[in-house]
Amino acid sequence: MIQVQNLTLRYGDKLVLDRFSLEIPDQGLTALTGPSGCGKTTLLRVMAGLAKAESGIVSGAAPVRTAFLFQEDRLLPWRTVSQHITDVLPKSRRGEAARWLAFAELEGEEGAYPPALSGGMARRLALARCAALGGDLLLLDEPFAGVDQERTARILDRLRGLGAPIVMATHQAQVLAVCDAVIALDGPPLKRI
């Protein structure tokens, strides 16, 4: 079980997390859903160790063994599609690049650069890079923005097959429908509804 206990965090005068607590299953797909700006991304960032809460703890998730998918694709325009994957793999695993491109249905795009990709293709590349990095926990912020429904369904099946717990912030009904747990949130400050 991943436990978030009594997290408090503010940005300036804006209280985003106020003694917020939550238990998240340590297996399967868990969705965090709620209105934009309620604090889902902040919660994911604290869980990943990318933001430091004023108080509270996260247990059951080690930041050094966590892969994080940002809302922005964060692709480097001078690196090819294939290089984006190999850049996160240790030398011993660089031969896996084709596997991860197939995971995101990007076969045939190995030599393309990000400016030549559609928005959905860029999002799938960012997701493939995150999945290739791997770890004990994957935290995904709006992983399927711009991705068509059919591909989303196939990639969700592949994500499930990774065997690591996956927590994602999403608004997409199709994604929510196949998750093992859906946690509805509101805020700020973030609260469960």
Side-chain angles (χ1 to χ4, degrees):
M1 190 70 59
I2 300 164
Q3 294 186 322
V4 171
Q5 298 172 311
N6 296 312
L7 293 182
T8 297
L9 184 142
R10 70 186 80 235
Y11 295 114
D13 293 336
K14 186 175 186 177
L15 186 61
V16 180
L17 302 174
D18 183 19
R19 297 180 309 275
F20 182 77
S21 296
L22 184 66
E23 288 188 353
I24 299 171
D26 58 4
Q27 58 187 357
L29 303 175
T30 300
L32 306 176
T33 190
S36 296
C38 73
K40 300 180 302 295
T41 294
T42 298
L43 176 61
L44 290 177
R45 291 177 59 81
V46 171
M47 290 175 64
L50 298 173
K52 183 165 175 48
E54 297 167 23
S55 62
I57 61 168
V58 176
S59 59
V64 296
R65 297 286 307 144
T66 298
F68 193 91
L69 176 68
F70 294 91
Q71 276 186 11
E72 313 83 24
D73 298 325
R74 297 191 179 195
L75 301 176
L76 304 173
W78 58 89
R79 302 296 285 167
T80 66
V81 166
S82 185
Q83 288 169 329
H84 275 88
I85 303 299
T86 58
D87 287 348
V88 301
L89 296 173
K91 274 187 181 177
S92 63
R93 293 182 50 215
R94 293 219 173 119
E96 296 178 20
R99 169 190 173 204
W100 295 108
L101 294 177
F103 175 93
E105 301 184 11
L106 288 168
E107 302 97 323
E109 300 295 336
E110 295 84 356
Y113 289 89
L117 302 177
S118 70
M121 292 169 78
R123 193 65 184 148
R124 287 184 281 134
L125 175 57
L127 181 56
R129 182 180 56 191
C130 179
L133 179 62
D136 296 332
L137 172 66
L138 276 68
L139 300 174
L140 312 177
D141 200 351
E142 299 293 347
F144 297 104
V147 179
D148 61 87
Q149 290 187 355
E150 294 78 17
R151 276 199 177 96
T152 295
R154 292 189 299 266
I155 295 171
L156 276 165
D157 283 341
R158 293 179 194 126
L159 281 170
R160 188 181 296 283
L162 295 177
I166 298 169
V167 181
M168 64 184 93
T170 185
H171 297 103
Q172 293 176 294
Q174 172 193 10
V175 175
L176 296 172
V178 300
C179 285
D180 302 300
V182 175
I183 300 170
L185 300 166
D186 200 2
L190 191 65
K191 58 184 165 288
R192 193 167 182 172
I193 54 172

